Amino acid sequence: MKKYKIEKDTVQETLLIPLYGRKLCSERFPTLFTDDSAARLMEKIDYDFSALEKRSDSIVQVFGALEVAMRQSDIAWEVRNYLKEHPRAAVINLGCGLDDTGRACDNGLCRMYNIDLPDVIALRERLLPAGEREQNLALDLRDPKWMDVIDARPSDGAVLFAAGVFYYFTTAQVRRMIVSMAERFPGGRLVFDAAGKTAVKLMLKTWMKQAGIKDVGAYFSVKNTKAELEAWSPRLFVSNKGYMLGYQKLDDPAVRPIHRLLAKIADGPMRLQIVREDFREVPR
């Protein structure tokens, strides 16, 4: 099998860190998380993973993998929860990368859309070509025209989700996107991860340096989640949970005490959370 080569210092390379994290977590904490597709995808990629492998026993690397896995697991829970009442909904993965949460939640009736920039979708088409009832779409989330491509009937519903995506947009951009989604998909649901300002600074440190960004305060972070986000539109009903401990206990015996402490810090002072926004139908 010919492998797909990933070059260093490219956007495609950034997709490999969460992919490796999902594989590592599946191996280390199988009672908490399983993602068989991660290992299969890595076998199709020509890339030197040795640097990541060398750090695979470090506290930071293992906790990072645990973060990635819990985030995906939490978001999948919210998607499945929505599909229980809206089995024919559109399932929309915003900034999809190489994530296959849509397929993991597939009930055999929903329609799946994976949206990302062209170079990412080009890689996805090679490694995760669209299946039945699924489309990979090369579109820019900042342009609301992407919503016109989605076949989301109001009676069927729509559940949208974004994992590790909104941190890279300014607060103003995220607000415009969410308000537009709420207007376009009444009765729908948006699920995404968010964090406090300190955590966002840490996440964006390397990327900001490369991009020459100085005003980190402009980038999306949250403090008083419900109050801040519901103020954006009367269509938004917001709830949130910590994403390390809000959905399940870290009860795998391989989770070390230091990881449990870091999880409490993540959900507490760092404000790492899963945000759920249900889109109300507002009478005209």
Side-chain angles (χ1 to χ4, degrees), residues 22-226:
R22 298 200 302 272
K23 173 181 176 290
L24 181 61
C25 199
S26 295
E27 294 170 348
R28 295 292 180 91
F29 313 111
T31 64
L32 290 179
F33 179 79
T34 56
D35 184 349
D36 297 332
S37 69
R40 290 197 302 269
L41 284 174
M42 285 179 60
E43 291 176 357
K44 298 179 181 180
I45 294 171
D46 178 7
Y47 181 81
D48 184 4
F49 287 97
S50 61
L52 291 172
E53 293 284 359
K54 288 178 182 177
R55 300 194 301 271
S56 63
D57 285 324
S58 73
I59 291 172
V60 173
Q61 181 92 341
V62 173
F63 185 71
L66 198 56
E67 278 189 323
V68 168
M70 291 303 95
R71 180 179 69 191
Q72 182 175 343
S73 178
D74 298 345
I75 289 175
W77 188 94
E78 291 287 3
V79 172
R80 293 189 183 104
N81 176 263
Y82 186 85
L83 288 174
K84 288 178 182 178
E85 295 187 6
H86 306 84
R88 297 184 180 277
V91 177
I92 307 161
N93 190 342
L94 306 171
C96 58
L98 294 175
D99 173 68
D100 66 346
T101 298
R103 292 185 188 182
C105 298
D106 185 11
N107 61 2
L109 297 171
C110 62
R111 300 176 309 284
M112 293 166 281
Y113 300 87
N114 305 301
I115 302 174
D116 215 317
L117 295 173
D119 52 351
V120 176
I121 292 298
L123 175 60
R124 187 179 181 93
E125 285 290 358
R126 292 287 297 273
L127 301 177
L128 281 171
E132 184 182 8
R133 294 173 286 101
E134 183 179 22
Q135 293 183 50
N136 292 332
L137 302 172
L139 299 166
D140 189 335
L141 295 176
R142 293 170 298 183
D143 184 347
K145 291 180 181 178
W146 66 262
M147 299 180 203
D148 298 334
V149 182
I150 307 300
D151 180 15
R153 307 173 188 91
S155 58
D156 291 341
V159 56
L160 308 96
F161 61 96
V165 174
F166 288 165
Y167 307 115
Y168 300 99
F169 294 104
T170 65
T171 298
Q173 288 172 329
V174 173
R175 179 173 182 167
R176 284 194 295 271
M177 284 190 284
I178 290 179
V179 171
S180 295
M181 288 182 228
E183 293 174 351
R184 174 64 178 79
F185 304 110
R189 175 179 298 168
L190 170 66
V191 184
F192 60 93
D193 56 308
K197 186 173 291 187
T198 299
V200 171
K201 284 183 179 180
L202 293 173
M203 291 177 193
L204 297 182
K205 185 177 180 181
T206 301
W207 180 74
M208 286 191 304
K209 184 176 180 180
Q210 293 173 342
I213 292 170
K214 297 179 180 178
D215 185 13
V216 67
Y219 283 74
F220 180 62
S221 64
V222 292
K223 184 177 181 181
N224 300 313
T225 307
K226 185 176 178 67

